[in-house]
Amino acid sequence: MAYSKDQLLARLKDLQIEFSQYEHPAVMTVEAQAKYVGNIRGGLSKNLFLKDKKHRFYIVSALADTKVDMKVLSQRLGLGKGGLRMAPEETMLEILKVPLGSVTPFALVNESARDVALLLDKGFKAQERCFFHPLSNDMSISLNTNDLDKFLKSIGRDPAYVDLEANPAVGKDQPPDLAAFVPSGSTVLPDLPEQASAVQSAGGSHVNANNNSKAATEKAIKPAKDVQNVKDTSAKAVNPSSSFTDAEKFVEEILDRISAKLLSETKEGNIVQQGQELGNEMANRLRKCCYPELKNLATIFKNTAYTQGFHAGKEASSLTQCPRT
């Protein structure tokens, strides 16, 4: 069940966090918020809810005047120039449990947001107090970063502040500096070979298992795996893992990932809470969490097979064109 504004405020009080609250009409922008609390000492925040191409989600919380370049941020996360975009409103409601205009680090209190990454502007540290919406945009609360950290730690988060305006070089010998912020345990899959991508485009769209596949993919959250660095990704793109060239190993890898997800979800609390409905609940969670990853694995397997066939064909063609002695 989603936290309400009153429940959040009660939790802050239970944690003995000092904050000031200011009620005002619902506001959709920082500029509108500033009309009501802009004259109070402290830094206003803007909060972006983003997603990447592999359906992993991020909250970027920054001071109102911090310039956040989405393309630069995407590269610093190791996602390429166009790897980030705004998450749709329906996903915001489903995962963060807050309406449009109310995105806030406090939304991470909801269990549904457990896999959402948080990037905090280091500029907050220079502010005496910072303003955020407490899950609802008809109120603003101000608190210092020490108390914000105290709240985040209470929900199992390790707060980290980064320079969101930095633009460090990213390359072969300079791995992306924010790669560690990609949601913990999510797999960064290698980019597909250019030849394979071209064939995929020419061949049209993939055949989905059912008509709801696209919707399921849009709503899915990536399951847990270790974040890989750029060098690992590049190596896999050139030399695909043996699991992508051997059908038996490929199936074993799929089963390993499903088993790991099943074990992570089968907790005593879930068993007690779900009771007889646990089977259906687990089936729904596995489908939701595993669909996008298995789709990516299948695509890599298919393109690896194509690439090998392409090179084998070129080699055979060159042999047939050799002059006879």
Side-chain angles (χ1 to χ4, degrees):
M1 183 178 294
Y3 261 69
S4 68
K5 175 177 64 179
D6 291 339
Q7 287 174 321
L8 173 66
L9 296 178
R11 178 165 185 147
L12 295 179
K13 291 176 182 177
D14 288 343
L15 291 170
Q16 297 184 342
I17 289 177
E18 180 187 352
F19 65 91
S20 300
Q21 64 186 66
Y22 307 89
E23 295 185 358
H24 51 68
V27 292
M28 299 300 295
T29 65
V30 177
E31 291 77 17
Q33 181 190 29
K35 294 178 181 179
Y36 302 101
V37 296
N39 61 329
I40 304 172
R41 180 179 298 179
L44 299 181
S45 66
K46 57 184 176 184
N47 297 271
L48 309 175
F49 184 45
L50 309 175
K51 67 176 292 186
D52 64 24
K53 293 179 179 179
K54 295 179 173 65
H55 308 285
R56 296 168 298 202
F57 299 92
Y58 309 77
I59 290 177
V60 177
S61 187
L63 287 172
D65 56 358
T66 295
K67 296 179 181 178
V68 180
D69 188 316
M70 296 269 285
K71 291 182 179 179
V72 172
L73 181 59
S74 181
Q75 285 186 300
R76 294 177 66 191
L77 288 166
L79 306 174
K81 288 185 178 180
L84 284 176
R85 59 180 175 177
M86 301 297 293
E89 183 178 357
E90 57 268 23
T91 305
M92 183 186 304
L93 290 169
E94 180 182 356
I95 295 178
L96 299 186
K97 306 298 185 184
V98 297
L100 195 66
S102 302
V103 175
T104 165
F106 293 119
L108 298 179
V109 72
N110 291 310
E111 176 64 18
S112 54
R114 64 186 180 277
D115 294 322
V116 177
L118 174 64
L119 284 78
L120 294 165
D121 187 354
K122 75 171 189 178
F124 285 138
K125 288 290 189 180
Q127 299 293 319
E128 183 176 334
R129 298 178 77 82
C130 304
F131 285 87
F132 301 95
H133 291 312
L135 305 179
S136 177
N137 60 356
D138 60 358
M139 178 183 287
S140 297
I141 64 173
S142 67
L143 73 171
N144 61 44
T145 54
N146 288 334
D147 282 329
L148 175 61
D149 293 350
K150 186 176 182 180
F151 165 78
L152 292 171
K153 290 177 180 178
S154 78
I155 58 173
R157 296 287 181 142
D158 185 17
Y161 296 80
V162 301
D163 184 355
L164 292 172
E165 292 187 333
N167 187 9
V170 176
K172 182 178 179 181
D173 299 319
Q174 297 169 303
D177 64 316
L178 300 182
F181 286 92
V182 174
S184 179
S186 297
T187 302
V188 179
L189 294 172
D191 294 332
L192 299 179
E194 291 183 4
Q195 293 163 332
S197 298
V199 168
Q200 187 175 340
S201 298
S205 59
H206 297 292
V207 177
N208 292 325
N210 58 57
N211 293 333
N212 295 325
S213 297
K214 183 176 181 181
T217 304
E218 283 299 319
K219 294 180 180 179
I221 303 172
K222 290 294 288 185
K225 287 291 171 187
D226 291 334
V227 177
Q228 302 172 354
N229 61 33
V230 170
K231 291 184 179 180
D232 291 339
T233 302
S234 301
K236 284 193 176 182
V238 177
N239 299 308
S241 167
S242 60
S243 64
F244 297 138
T245 58
D246 184 305
E248 184 175 349
K249 290 183 179 180
F250 174 66
V251 173
E252 288 178 357
E253 180 161 347
I254 289 177
L255 293 176
D256 287 343
R257 296 195 183 197
I258 293 177
S259 298
K261 186 61 184 176
L262 182 62
L263 290 173
S264 70
E265 293 287 349
T266 308
K267 301 174 182 177
E268 183 177 353
N270 289 340
I271 295 174
V272 174
Q273 182 179 1
Q274 300 297 333
Q276 294 181 348
E277 297 298 321
L278 181 61
N280 291 334
E281 179 67 17
M282 290 301 303
N284 291 333
R285 287 193 183 187
L286 284 175
R287 177 176 178 79
K288 181 177 180 180
C289 294
C290 294
Y291 176 86
E293 182 171 7
L294 296 183
K295 180 180 177 182
N296 281 325
L297 286 175
T299 300
I300 293 174
F301 184 80
K302 182 192 74 172
N303 284 292
T304 300
Y306 165 79
T307 303
Q308 289 185 332
F310 176 82
H311 289 301
K314 285 187 64 178
E315 183 177 350
S317 177
S318 64
L319 290 175
T320 58
Q321 294 176 7
C322 292
R324 296 181 180 178
T325 58

